[in-house]
Amino acid sequence: MSLRAAGIQAFGDEVALLELPEPPPLETGQVVIEVKAAGVANWDEFVRTGDWDVGRVPPLALGVEAAGEVVDVGPGVEWPAAGAPVMTHPLPLPYQGCWAERLVAPARLVAEKPDNASWAEAGAFPVPALTSEQVVAEVLDVQPGETILVNGAGGVTGGMIVELAANSGATVIATASESSAARVMALGADVVIDYHDPDWTSLARDAARSTGIRAAANAAPGGEADALSTLVDGGRLATITGAPPPEERGISIANVYIRPDGDELRLLAASLAEGKLHIDIRASYPLTRAADGLAQATKGSGGAVVFEP
Ligand SMILES: NC(=O)c1ccc[n+]([C@@H]2O[C@H](COP(=O)([O-])OP(=O)(O)OC[C@H]3O[C@@H](n4cnc5c(N)ncnc54)[C@H](OP(=O)(O)O)[C@@H]3O)[C@@H](O)[C@H]2O)c1
């Protein structure tokens, strides 16, 4: 038997259907998940080109997040049991990526899928949710009453950063296109500024005139320096798209990379279940149309893209 997947034979290849060998016998602490939905996003492009090391070389199924049903458990696994609906960001990959009929994950990086989340929502949730939590709670340590700028709030991850910061009691100044503004307000932003306005950084500083912007999260590719420029002296910037050149104003700059974390994912799954976090799905593709799905995921936003094998 073989495993149908979407991925690459060599770094840089276009994504295509692959027939991979079935996973080897499970090691201690591993589970097999039958994939119902797997997230597709522009970070998968970095895996395709070899710029993001996911712990394996081609031939490689891409995909770093998924939801599905546990179908086999290895030695020493107390939870989850076979039949459990789960989601995961299983890096480094124990076997292959998530754009496949089945995947192998360490049980410690698995969280239960909330009943009220669809497979697609759960499959596209782990990466944006973990990244956003790490930006808001760990790196920026956003405090109630503080004013935070979220640059790139129209994106899936940017939107979750807005939601988590608003849930923390912060005042959120967000940037988004006109077409995304209503959604970003609904996620909890207090002010939304169109980043196409050449003066948007001054508008953001004006909007925070009484307190100044002490914390900024940048989720806009190329928006790092602009986000930095909105901060007061001594402020702090967390960026998930690369670091800007430093400024001599006592500003701390953190170039944040997602950290896989099952405990954190389980807490975030509870927030999804309680309606404190949201994820919109804009498109779903079968694995046979993987190249189309990846192309759409790397263009624009308004929601996440998934593969449903
Ligand atoms: N370092 C990490 O660990 C990590 C983790 C997750 C994501 N990321 C990266 O973070 C970025 C955002 O992720 P995402 O999931 O939010 O992506 P996404 O859903 O594809 O978001 C794209 C959105 O970004 C907005 N945008 C584009 N250019 C902008 C600009 N110059 N200024 C402000 N907003 C702009 C647009 O929003 P409008 O609709 O409002 O125009 C666009 O729809 C991606 O580059 C991704 O690779 C990094």
Side-chain angles (χ1 to χ4, degrees):
M1 224 163 92
S2 65
L3 182 69
R4 201 168 64 134
I8 49 173
Q9 295 285 359
F11 286 127
D13 275 4
E14 288 309 312
V15 172
L17 268 188
L18 300 177
E19 292 289 337
L20 297 168
E22 281 291 335
L26 291 179
E27 293 175 12
T28 300
Q30 293 181 337
V31 299
V32 177
I33 298 169
E34 184 180 277
V35 176
K36 305 286 190 188
V40 189
N42 79 335
W43 49 77
D44 294 305
E45 189 54 18
F46 302 130
V47 184
R48 185 184 75 77
T49 56
D51 291 325
W52 183 11
D53 180 4
V54 290
R56 282 193 70 91
V57 294
L60 178 65
L62 301 190
V64 295
E65 59 181 353
E69 198 173 289
V70 175
V71 290
D72 196 8
V73 301
V77 174
E78 289 177 8
W79 184 91
V86 296
M87 53 188 172
T88 186
H89 168 53
L91 252 55
L93 294 174
Y95 178 56
Q96 284 282 346
C98 301
W99 300 354
E101 295 169 297
R102 289 174 293 287
L103 67 87
V104 179
R108 67 185 171 79
L109 295 181
V110 164
E112 189 165 6
K113 178 187 90 66
D115 289 341
N116 58 351
S118 67
W119 287 116
E121 288 165 340
F125 181 77
V127 171
L130 285 167
T131 307
S132 302
E133 174 71 8
Q134 288 160 18
V135 163
V136 171
E138 296 177 19
V139 178
L140 291 177
D141 188 20
V142 172
Q143 298 298 313
E146 191 168 45
T147 298
I148 173 174
L149 173 92
V150 182
N151 189 28
V156 176
T157 310
M160 278 198 206
I161 294 174
V162 168
E163 220 171 359
L164 287 167
N167 291 350
S168 307
T171 297
V172 180
I173 299 174
T175 70
S177 294
E178 223 178 298
S179 57
S180 297
R183 185 166 39 86
V184 173
M185 289 296 280
L187 292 173
D190 296 275
V191 179
V192 178
I193 297 170
D194 188 342
Y195 61 85
H196 297 99
D197 187 323
D199 284 333
W200 79 257
T201 53
S202 316
L203 295 172
R205 279 190 297 269
D206 288 350
R209 202 169 3 216
S210 56
T211 54
I213 299 172
R214 300 203 57 80
N218 182 68
E224 302 82 16
D226 279 345
L228 176 66
S229 75
T230 65
L231 285 165
V232 296
D233 292 359
R236 49 207 204 281
L237 172 72
T239 171
I240 59 172
T241 58
E247 279 190 12
E248 299 296 321
R249 298 196 290 121
I251 292 175
S252 66
I253 298 176
N255 194 8
V256 180
Y257 293 95
I258 184 173
R259 185 189 73 253
D261 188 325
D263 290 337
E264 201 166 80
L265 187 58
R266 287 184 273 279
L267 291 173
L268 290 159
S271 293
L272 180 65
E274 290 163 16
K276 293 181 185 158
L277 278 177
H278 297 86
I279 180 156
D280 294 324
I281 304 299
R282 69 176 152 131
S284 169
Y285 290 84
L287 283 179
T288 46
R289 293 190 55 207
D292 293 338
L294 181 57
Q296 182 173 9
T298 54
K299 275 190 247 120
S301 187
V305 178
V306 291
F307 288 145
E308 294 181 277

